[in-house]
Amino acid sequence: MSVNAVLTAQQAPASAGAPDPMLIEDLVAAYRILAQQGVLDGFGHVSARHNRAANRFIMSRSLAPELVTANDLIEFDLDGNPVDAKGRSLYSERFIHAEIYRARPDVRSVVHNHAPSLIPFGVTTVPLRPMYHMASFIGNGVPVFDIRKSFGMTDMLVSDSKKGHALAEVLGQKAVVLMRGHGVAVVGSTIPIAVGRSIYLDINAKVQAQALALGGNITYLDPQEAQKMMDAGENRSYERPWELWKAKATGK
Amino acid sequence: MSVNAVLTAQQAPASAGAPDPMLIEDLVAAYRILAQQGVLDGFGHVSARHNRAANRFIMSRSLAPELVTANDLIEFDLDGNPVDAKGRSLYSERFIHAEIYRARPDVRSVVHNHAPSLIPFGVTTVPLRPMYHMASFIGNGVPVFDIRKSFGMTDMLVSDSKKGHALAEVLGQKAVVLMRGHGVAVVGSTIPIAVGRSIYLDINAKVQAQALALGGNITYLDPQEAQKMMDAGENRSYERPWELWKAKATGK
Amino acid sequence: MSVNAVLTAQQAPASAGAPDPMLIEDLVAAYRILAQQGVLDGFGHVSARHNRAANRFIMSRSLAPELVTANDLIEFDLDGNPVDAKGRSLYSERFIHAEIYRARPDVRSVVHNHAPSLIPFGVTTVPLRPMYHMASFIGNGVPVFDIRKSFGMTDMLVSDSKKGHALAEVLGQKAVVLMRGHGVAVVGSTIPIAVGRSIYLDINAKVQAQALALGGNITYLDPQEAQKMMDAGENRSYERPWELWKAKATGK
Amino acid sequence: MSVNAVLTAQQAPASAGAPDPMLIEDLVAAYRILAQQGVLDGFGHVSARHNRAANRFIMSRSLAPELVTANDLIEFDLDGNPVDAKGRSLYSERFIHAEIYRARPDVRSVVHNHAPSLIPFGVTTVPLRPMYHMASFIGNGVPVFDIRKSFGMTDMLVSDSKKGHALAEVLGQKAVVLMRGHGVAVVGSTIPIAVGRSIYLDINAKVQAQALALGGNITYLDPQEAQKMMDAGENRSYERPWELWKAKATGK
């Protein structure tokens, strides 16, 4: 793959064509929604798979999420090469997205964030677990990626395809993978689902921390309950809050 | 009841007539207030019993609370059937409201929410208790509804009359019922009381969590003190904050 | 005193004359500042002693703090009788203020609030202590008033002169008195000092709760350090933040 | 040094000339950013070393950070003497900045703040440690300055050169020094770095407190990982969030 990556870096990949305008609109909204909801701050990013090509995805140039507009979006191939960066700086961790799209055909949107509520669960022996139906998407568990296991001492960043691939392997078929000492990657079959999961994952982490602090015994959501919720449509695909979030994020 | 529900679903119930315009205004304000105060987010709902008919109640179509306007309100009967939905999507958990109105003639408003502060108390062995006079309405205890007891593994939603009935039974004559792994239902004899209780229940849960974390011995509000506060008018029926909340929610 | 109170209720006390316009401006600002800073919500109040008469004080009619304007302010005597209420509803707990002004000639402003951070310290065996120089005003301790000790089972409200007197006795010469299961009273020799203390008392309580949760040994501010800070001018009498708070509260 | 200080107080130091306008713009932005991000409230300050003279620095007159404009900035020498105060009141703790600039030629910006999240770590036996890559700048430890060790009982303020010097000695070559019962000083080689570190230090403290409360074993960022992150450019010198923060702080 590294040879391929070098080649691709020299020859920019061809574009799959203009994405669906609604995909662009939703992706820009996603950046702003995640900033407004406190999931992203000046760092982190969200991407969407290209609607015309499974081997292309769209994400912003290196920019604080709250500032992203349609003009900042760039098309990438699954080696993380931009179709046309126009000289702009890129997110060094675009490989998180690239390798998850490569490994998971069902995924059409990926969020990478450093929400403060989640960092503790990536560094402790206490597993993140679903406290209520809104977090059913983690009913089958949350794996933790420790970059040190395969790569030793690093700057903690998933800044090449190999590291992205290792992360995607730990993610497996789950919805969420925690990254030790770093953050999280969240996936979904649509932008609203990836965004909604990111928001409720943050809330669920706060709820679990508070529940543990109470000092009693906790009844977590049963994996079967979580599965039934997922089968019933996972919070109606977040359509209801998405309408609200998007209205607030776009000022419409 | 199930036969009746089927019939009613086929024949839409008759309207009890136009509700009092002030009831509509207060109910729309209630949606927005609960969103502004952080009790509701994109999910949850509030309803009011119809002023002309004890067997009718009003709530929004399926919509994020912050977006609700008078045009979104729909009249329902106590089987959860809409008088005229005009093809719009409905909250699947309207049965929480319907069955509480059926069981509790004194209740004229119901709130269902997923406030993060409350989820821990629904899943732990530590009971939610009143920390101060503002939470006197839980001085006689807070029952916890575990849907698993009667219905086994479910998607956690109170999405039919039977589940709503079971919830109303656990609520009994109390002001609040926690729902394990899900949220809470709060009732009141007026919209401001149901809203005010929802807001101070959230605050009280945060206060209790913080008090427990201090590690000392706690003196809870005595049930007699709580009762005397209730007898004295329960925070003057929340008139003072209601004036503020409504002004902020409606921009007037 | 009760006979006197009855007489005074029948004969409204004479006004001490128009207060200093700056006192009015600062008192209105104080209501709004304490709401903006999250110390007051729809409940609680702040008052100022009349600049022309030690036995008169000014506070709002019964109104949510964020809504208070100069027209809502009413002059009271130390029995809690209004000079001219114009038929408006009064705060039932104005006796907190009245009796503190009676007992403490040095006090010229009183705040009563229910800040969630403080409720735990009023109900636990863990004392509220100064964590840093900003809370030097509690360096000599924070007494706790338990209304039950003198009055048995009540509705928790300090709603007459006797209860206000008992509270003032527990306050003694301190800056703050916690009220078990209810809230706090904070005093100062100026409005900015009473307001500033209320704001930093809230922050200090949050800091102490967080420090206790860390699980190590804590070095509290030494009483001598606190005294030296007080002698050096107690945060320069809050002049610096007051300028900011007032600008934000009044939109100037 | 004290004799020198007296002399300098009598003879105002000469100006090093007008600073780079961009330095002024960034410093004003820094005050506002730190207030908007909740690191500063009505107290605390940020300074920058003069671009024309290593023995001069710029900071505001005594003013709440949110109100600072270019007109409020004053040039100081390393004894804390203003070039031309124009009779305006000065921050009594400007010696924190002066002595750090004297001791640390690499430092070009200093922040002093009282962020509530940090106070606990200054008073407890539990050390502040890096939870994730964003806090790599404390990978080599966070010293704690206890003013009592050298100065006995004080008003806790670093209000002269001697105290500033003692603080700078405890800081040593680190990025951060906690001040027991008071706050913190944070340094950087640019204004964005000092500001960015201040913001992520606050977040890291909250994350660590939450992680400790979970009750499991914690894997902290390894010092080698932190060093690699620093070597790789420490969050790209905070350029990405600085663009966002500055845009929000200046309304541009």
Side-chain angles (χ1 to χ4, degrees):
Chain A
M1 186 184 303
S2 66
V3 171
N4 190 20
V6 169
L7 282 177
T8 324
Q10 291 167 344
Q11 302 172 275
S15 172
D20 179 354
M22 184 56 73
L23 188 77
I24 298 297
E25 183 178 304
D26 278 358
L27 184 54
V28 170
Y31 274 94
R32 291 163 177 264
I33 288 167
L34 290 166
Q36 288 187 352
Q37 298 288 324
V39 171
L40 297 180
D41 55 9
F43 293 96
H45 18 81
V46 49
S47 67
R49 196 190 290 267
H50 198 301
N51 59 293
R52 291 176 179 238
N55 62 348
R56 293 286 184 278
F57 68 98
I58 321 283
M59 72 187 310
S60 172
R61 67 178 175 100
S62 175
L63 188 65
E66 206 166 330
L67 300 176
V68 170
T69 65
N71 288 333
D72 300 306
L73 298 182
I74 296 175
E75 183 182 342
F76 293 90
D77 71 10
L78 299 189
D79 292 319
N81 297 305
V83 166
D84 183 7
K86 298 179 185 165
R88 295 173 292 183
S89 176
L90 305 178
Y91 292 131
S92 64
E93 297 197 295
R94 59 195 180 276
F95 305 94
I96 294 171
H97 305 254
E99 292 299 324
I100 289 175
Y101 288 121
R102 195 195 301 276
R104 287 280 299 273
D106 60 308
V107 169
R108 301 195 71 81
S109 183
V110 176
V111 174
H112 169 57
N113 74 70
H114 310 154
S117 64
L118 297 174
I119 305 301
F121 288 100
V123 299
T124 178
T125 46
V126 178
L128 182 61
R129 298 184 63 179
M131 304 306 294
Y132 67 152
H133 66 308
M134 298 303 299
S136 294
F137 56 89
I138 59 166
N140 54 3
V142 181
V144 179
F145 171 71
D146 189 342
I147 197 169
R148 202 189 306 181
K149 283 196 184 148
S150 298
F151 302 94
M153 290 296 151
T154 67
D155 64 1
M156 304 300 289
L157 299 180
V158 178
S159 49
D160 62 33
S161 296
K162 276 193 180 172
K163 288 170 182 162
H165 179 69
L167 175 70
E169 281 200 321
V170 175
L171 170 65
Q173 296 304 310
K174 304 293 171 63
V176 172
V177 57
L178 287 165
M179 303 158 75
R180 192 266 306 164
H182 182 157
V184 73
V186 180
V187 307
S189 59
T190 67
I191 293 174
I193 289 175
V195 168
R197 286 177 177 177
S198 297
I199 290 169
Y200 284 101
L201 188 71
D202 175 40
I203 297 174
N204 187 78
K206 292 171 183 163
V207 166
Q208 185 177 348
Q210 199 61 75
L212 286 167
L214 295 181
N217 288 319
I218 298 177
T219 302
Y220 294 97
L221 200 67
D222 189 277
Q224 287 186 58
E225 290 172 328
Q227 189 56 52
K228 281 185 179 282
M229 182 54 161
M230 296 303 282
D231 294 344
E234 192 189 350
N235 305 325
R236 290 191 185 186
S237 304
Y238 304 93
E239 282 176 17
R240 203 191 302 164
W242 178 259
E243 180 186 359
L244 172 67
W245 295 331
K246 191 170 169 183
K248 295 175 86 162
T250 59
K252 289 180 189 170
Chain B
M1 187 185 302
S2 67
V3 171
N4 190 20
V6 169
L7 281 178
T8 325
Q10 291 169 341
Q11 302 171 275
S15 172
D20 179 354
M22 182 58 72
L23 188 77
I24 298 298
E25 184 178 303
D26 279 359
L27 184 55
V28 170
Y31 274 94
R32 291 162 177 264
I33 288 167
L34 290 166
Q36 288 188 350
Q37 298 288 322
V39 172
L40 298 180
D41 55 8
F43 294 96
H45 18 81
V46 48
S47 66
R49 196 189 290 267
H50 198 302
N51 60 293
R52 291 179 180 236
N55 63 349
R56 293 287 184 279
F57 69 97
I58 321 285
M59 72 187 309
S60 171
R61 66 180 175 97
S62 176
L63 189 64
E66 208 165 329
L67 300 176
V68 170
T69 65
N71 288 333
D72 300 305
L73 298 183
I74 296 174
E75 182 182 344
F76 292 90
D77 71 12
L78 299 190
D79 292 319
N81 296 306
V83 166
D84 184 7
K86 297 178 186 164
R88 295 173 292 183
S89 177
L90 306 178
Y91 292 131
S92 64
E93 297 198 295
R94 58 194 181 277
F95 304 94
I96 294 171
H97 304 254
E99 293 299 323
I100 289 175
Y101 288 122
R102 195 195 302 275
R104 287 279 298 272
D106 60 307
V107 169
R108 302 196 70 81
S109 184
V110 176
V111 174
H112 169 57
N113 74 70
H114 309 154
S117 64
L118 296 174
I119 305 301
F121 289 100
V123 300
T124 178
T125 45
V126 178
L128 182 61
R129 296 183 64 178
M131 305 305 296
Y132 67 152
H133 65 307
M134 297 304 299
S136 294
F137 56 89
I138 58 166
N140 55 3
V142 181
V144 179
F145 172 70
D146 189 342
I147 198 169
R148 201 188 308 182
K149 283 196 184 146
S150 297
F151 301 95
M153 290 297 151
T154 67
D155 64 2
M156 303 300 289
L157 300 180
V158 177
S159 49
D160 63 33
S161 296
K162 276 192 180 171
K163 289 170 182 162
H165 179 69
L167 175 69
E169 280 199 323
V170 175
L171 170 65
Q173 294 305 309
K174 303 294 171 62
V176 173
V177 57
L178 287 165
M179 302 158 76
R180 193 266 306 164
H182 182 158
V184 72
V186 180
V187 306
S189 59
T190 68
I191 293 174
I193 289 176
V195 168
R197 287 176 176 177
S198 297
I199 291 169
Y200 284 101
L201 188 70
D202 175 40
I203 297 174
N204 188 77
K206 291 171 183 164
V207 166
Q208 184 176 348
Q210 200 59 76
L212 287 166
L214 294 181
N217 288 319
I218 298 177
T219 302
Y220 294 97
L221 199 67
D222 189 277
Q224 286 186 58
E225 291 173 329
Q227 189 56 51
K228 280 185 181 282
M229 181 55 161
M230 297 303 282
D231 293 344
E234 193 189 350
N235 305 324
R236 290 192 186 186
S237 304
Y238 304 92
E239 281 176 17
R240 203 192 301 164
W242 178 259
E243 180 185 358
L244 172 66
W245 295 330
K246 191 171 169 182
K248 294 175 87 163
T250 60
K252 291 181 189 169
Chain C
M1 185 185 302
S2 67
V3 170
N4 190 18
V6 169
L7 282 178
T8 324
Q10 291 168 344
Q11 301 171 276
S15 172
D20 179 354
M22 183 57 73
L23 188 78
I24 297 298
E25 184 179 304
D26 278 359
L27 184 54
V28 170
Y31 273 95
R32 290 162 177 266
I33 288 167
L34 290 166
Q36 287 187 351
Q37 298 287 323
V39 172
L40 297 180
D41 55 8
F43 294 96
H45 17 80
V46 48
S47 67
R49 197 190 289 266
H50 199 300
N51 59 294
R52 293 178 178 236
N55 63 347
R56 293 285 184 282
F57 69 98
I58 321 284
M59 73 186 309
S60 171
R61 67 178 175 99
S62 175
L63 188 65
E66 207 165 330
L67 301 176
V68 170
T69 65
N71 288 333
D72 300 306
L73 298 183
I74 295 174
E75 182 182 344
F76 292 90
D77 71 12
L78 300 189
D79 292 319
N81 297 305
V83 165
D84 183 8
K86 297 177 185 166
R88 295 174 292 184
S89 177
L90 306 178
Y91 292 132
S92 64
E93 297 197 295
R94 59 194 182 276
F95 304 94
I96 294 171
H97 304 254
E99 293 299 323
I100 290 175
Y101 289 121
R102 195 195 303 275
R104 288 278 298 273
D106 61 308
V107 169
R108 300 195 71 80
S109 183
V110 176
V111 174
H112 169 57
N113 74 68
H114 309 154
S117 64
L118 297 174
I119 305 301
F121 288 100
V123 300
T124 177
T125 46
V126 178
L128 182 62
R129 296 185 64 180
M131 305 304 295
Y132 68 151
H133 65 308
M134 298 303 300
S136 294
F137 55 88
I138 58 166
N140 54 4
V142 181
V144 180
F145 172 69
D146 189 342
I147 198 169
R148 203 189 305 181
K149 282 195 185 147
S150 298
F151 301 95
M153 290 297 151
T154 67
D155 63 3
M156 304 300 290
L157 300 180
V158 177
S159 49
D160 63 34
S161 296
K162 277 192 179 170
K163 289 170 181 160
H165 178 70
L167 175 70
E169 281 200 320
V170 175
L171 170 65
Q173 294 305 308
K174 304 293 171 60
V176 173
V177 57
L178 287 165
M179 303 158 75
R180 192 266 305 164
H182 182 158
V184 71
V186 180
V187 307
S189 59
T190 67
I191 293 174
I193 289 176
V195 168
R197 288 176 176 177
S198 297
I199 290 170
Y200 284 101
L201 188 70
D202 175 40
I203 297 174
N204 187 78
K206 291 171 183 162
V207 167
Q208 183 175 349
Q210 199 60 75
L212 287 166
L214 295 181
N217 288 319
I218 299 176
T219 302
Y220 294 96
L221 200 66
D222 189 276
Q224 287 185 58
E225 291 173 327
Q227 188 57 50
K228 280 184 182 283
M229 181 55 163
M230 297 302 283
D231 293 345
E234 192 189 351
N235 305 325
R236 290 192 185 185
S237 305
Y238 304 93
E239 280 176 18
R240 202 191 302 163
W242 178 259
E243 180 186 357
L244 172 66
W245 294 331
K246 191 169 169 182
K248 295 176 83 163
T250 61
K252 289 181 189 170
Chain D
M1 183 184 304
S2 67
V3 171
N4 190 20
V6 168
L7 282 177
T8 323
Q10 291 168 345
Q11 300 172 275
S15 173
D20 179 354
M22 184 56 74
L23 188 78
I24 298 298
E25 184 179 303
D26 278 359
L27 184 54
V28 170
Y31 274 94
R32 291 164 177 263
I33 288 167
L34 290 166
Q36 287 186 354
Q37 298 287 324
V39 172
L40 298 180
D41 55 8
F43 294 96
H45 17 80
V46 49
S47 67
R49 197 190 290 266
H50 199 301
N51 59 294
R52 291 176 179 238
N55 63 348
R56 293 286 184 280
F57 69 98
I58 321 284
M59 73 186 310
S60 172
R61 68 179 175 99
S62 174
L63 188 65
E66 206 166 330
L67 301 176
V68 170
T69 65
N71 289 332
D72 300 305
L73 299 183
I74 296 174
E75 183 182 344
F76 293 89
D77 70 11
L78 299 190
D79 293 319
N81 297 305
V83 165
D84 183 6
K86 298 178 185 165
R88 295 174 292 183
S89 176
L90 305 178
Y91 292 131
S92 64
E93 296 197 295
R94 59 194 180 277
F95 305 93
I96 294 172
H97 305 254
E99 293 299 323
I100 290 174
Y101 288 120
R102 195 195 302 275
R104 288 279 299 272
D106 60 307
V107 169
R108 300 195 71 82
S109 183
V110 177
V111 174
H112 168 56
N113 74 67
H114 309 154
S117 65
L118 297 173
I119 305 302
F121 289 100
V123 300
T124 178
T125 46
V126 178
L128 182 62
R129 297 185 64 179
M131 305 305 296
Y132 67 154
H133 66 308
M134 298 303 300
S136 295
F137 56 89
I138 58 166
N140 55 3
V142 181
V144 179
F145 172 70
D146 189 342
I147 198 169
R148 204 190 303 182
K149 283 196 184 146
S150 297
F151 302 94
M153 290 296 150
T154 66
D155 64 1
M156 304 301 288
L157 300 179
V158 178
S159 50
D160 62 34
S161 296
K162 277 192 179 171
K163 288 171 182 160
H165 179 69
L167 175 70
E169 281 200 321
V170 175
L171 170 65
Q173 294 305 309
K174 304 293 171 60
V176 172
V177 57
L178 286 165
M179 304 158 75
R180 192 266 305 163
H182 183 158
V184 71
V186 180
V187 306
S189 59
T190 67
I191 293 173
I193 289 176
V195 167
R197 287 177 176 178
S198 298
I199 291 169
Y200 284 102
L201 188 71
D202 175 41
I203 297 174
N204 187 78
K206 290 172 184 163
V207 167
Q208 184 176 348
Q210 199 60 72
L212 287 166
L214 295 181
N217 289 319
I218 298 177
T219 302
Y220 295 96
L221 200 66
D222 189 277
Q224 287 185 59
E225 291 172 327
Q227 188 57 51
K228 281 185 180 283
M229 181 54 162
M230 296 303 282
D231 294 344
E234 192 189 349
N235 305 323
R236 290 191 185 186
S237 304
Y238 304 93
E239 281 175 18
R240 202 192 301 164
W242 178 259
E243 180 186 0
L244 172 66
W245 295 330
K246 191 170 169 182
K248 295 175 85 163
T250 60
K252 289 180 189 170

